[in-house]
Amino acid sequence: MEVHHHPEVEKKGFKEYLLEGLMIFIAVMMGFIAESVRENISDREHVKQLVLQLVQDLKTDTISLDLLNKSEQLQMAKNDTLIQVLKEPITQVNKEEMQNLILFCYDVNAFHPANGAITAIKNEIYLKSLSDSKLISYIANYEADETFYQSIYATQYENLRGYLQPFLSQHFTSENLDKGTFNRKLLNGDMRDLKQNDMIQLASDVAIIKVVNHYLSHYNRDVKKKADVLIQYTRKQFHLE
């Protein structure tokens, strides 16, 4: 009958167990640290992409605002010309010129901000690089002015509907209204049921429209300034220079 001898297991001392436990602890900690570093690098790269897109969006906004401001300035100049024409005696006014001016003034352009990056940043503000900065505060300042600017646009849109649209409907011929609205070219100077008092009233209405165009231009510049400030802060804070 064979007798199987079990190999003797070397007994470890307390120091050896302690050393093994320490090595396991260090290995686990190194794993956590490596993962943390990896996530930190990933977050920083993600934040960099967000702020780069933010700067690009804001540049797009400033270009749009510049174009809109030129339009608003031109609108005010046309408003002035139209007011002067409307003050002339009805028998002396060039009705084709007057109608062209009215159609030109019957216009307001909306501002459509490129806010994709802002939305993404607000959704991910928990990221350390973002939460440790003043970026959200600068964004809030920009959005506050942009929202107010949009409210002025809404007011002007209602002014055009309330003041100019009824005049167009009551005094333009259908042919001129059709051609003038879509092609900016009238068939002739014909008008319907136009009286001197109609022109006097419209002059006052256009004066109100001009005031709102002035505010649009003023706050347009304010929004652009806030956009420029936000661009400068973002570049400096996130080392994008």
Side-chain angles (χ1 to χ4, degrees):
M1 184 175 181
E2 294 185 6
V3 177
H4 296 280
H5 297 278
H6 295 284
E8 292 185 9
V9 178
E10 183 181 353
K11 294 184 178 180
K12 297 180 181 179
F14 174 75
K15 289 183 179 180
E16 292 175 303
Y17 281 114
L18 182 62
L19 182 59
E20 285 185 2
L22 181 60
M23 293 300 291
I24 293 171
F25 174 76
I26 291 174
V28 172
M29 285 300 297
M30 289 299 291
F32 279 124
I33 292 171
E35 180 64 18
S36 178
V37 170
R38 186 192 66 78
E39 288 182 357
N40 193 34
I41 292 173
S42 178
D43 285 351
R44 285 205 306 269
E45 183 60 29
H46 184 48
V47 167
K48 184 178 180 180
Q49 294 302 317
L50 285 175
V51 295
L52 282 171
Q53 186 59 52
L54 173 64
V55 169
Q56 187 57 51
D57 285 355
L58 291 168
K59 286 181 178 179
T60 300
D61 285 356
T62 57
I63 292 172
S64 297
L65 288 164
D66 277 337
L67 292 173
L68 282 171
N69 194 45
K70 290 178 182 177
S71 175
E72 289 151 5
Q73 294 289 330
L74 182 57
Q75 282 286 346
M76 283 190 285
K78 294 292 186 179
N79 293 157
D80 277 335
T81 303
L82 177 56
I83 290 169
Q84 293 305 313
V85 169
L86 291 168
K87 290 179 179 179
E88 295 177 7
I90 192 170
T91 55
Q92 298 178 20
V93 70
N94 182 326
K95 293 184 176 63
E96 187 169 348
E97 176 193 4
M98 182 178 72
Q99 289 181 91
N100 278 321
L101 284 168
I102 292 170
L103 287 172
F104 191 95
C105 293
Y106 185 57
D107 190 24
V108 62
N109 296 307
F111 173 50
H112 301 288
N115 56 10
I118 286 179
T119 300
I121 287 170
K122 289 194 293 187
N123 287 338
E124 302 192 47
I125 189 58
Y126 64 87
L127 295 174
K128 183 173 176 57
S129 298
L130 295 176
S131 59
D132 286 350
S133 74
K134 296 180 181 178
L135 188 63
I136 290 298
S137 176
Y138 278 91
I139 287 175
N141 288 335
Y142 171 69
E143 287 190 313
D145 275 18
E146 186 262 323
T147 298
F148 189 66
Y149 178 64
Q150 298 283 22
S151 71
I152 299 172
Y153 161 79
T155 297
Q156 188 69 308
Y157 179 77
E158 290 302 319
N159 285 341
L160 297 180
R161 289 185 59 191
Y163 296 140
L164 292 189
Q165 190 168 302
F167 189 93
L168 293 171
S169 176
Q170 294 168 17
H171 303 300
F172 276 52
T173 65
S174 59
E175 293 81 9
N176 275 340
L177 192 54
D178 179 54
K179 293 294 183 182
T181 301
F182 292 102
N183 302 322
R184 296 282 181 177
K185 185 176 181 181
L186 302 177
L187 289 177
N188 50 52
D190 292 349
M191 298 189 74
R192 300 183 300 111
D193 303 323
L194 183 66
K195 300 180 177 59
Q196 191 74 54
N197 282 342
D198 298 323
M199 294 169 56
I200 293 171
Q201 179 60 53
L202 186 61
S204 296
D205 295 338
V206 174
I208 294 173
I209 290 169
K210 179 192 170 185
V211 169
V212 180
N213 276 328
H214 170 78
Y215 281 115
L216 276 171
S217 179
H218 175 78
Y219 284 100
N220 176 310
R221 293 191 294 271
D222 279 356
V223 175
K224 185 174 181 294
K225 286 178 184 177
K226 291 290 176 65
D228 288 335
V229 169
L230 181 50
I231 289 172
Q232 292 169 15
Y233 173 80
T234 304
R235 283 175 168 168
K236 182 178 180 180
Q237 178 68 22
F238 298 95
H239 311 293
L240 302 180
E241 299 294 348

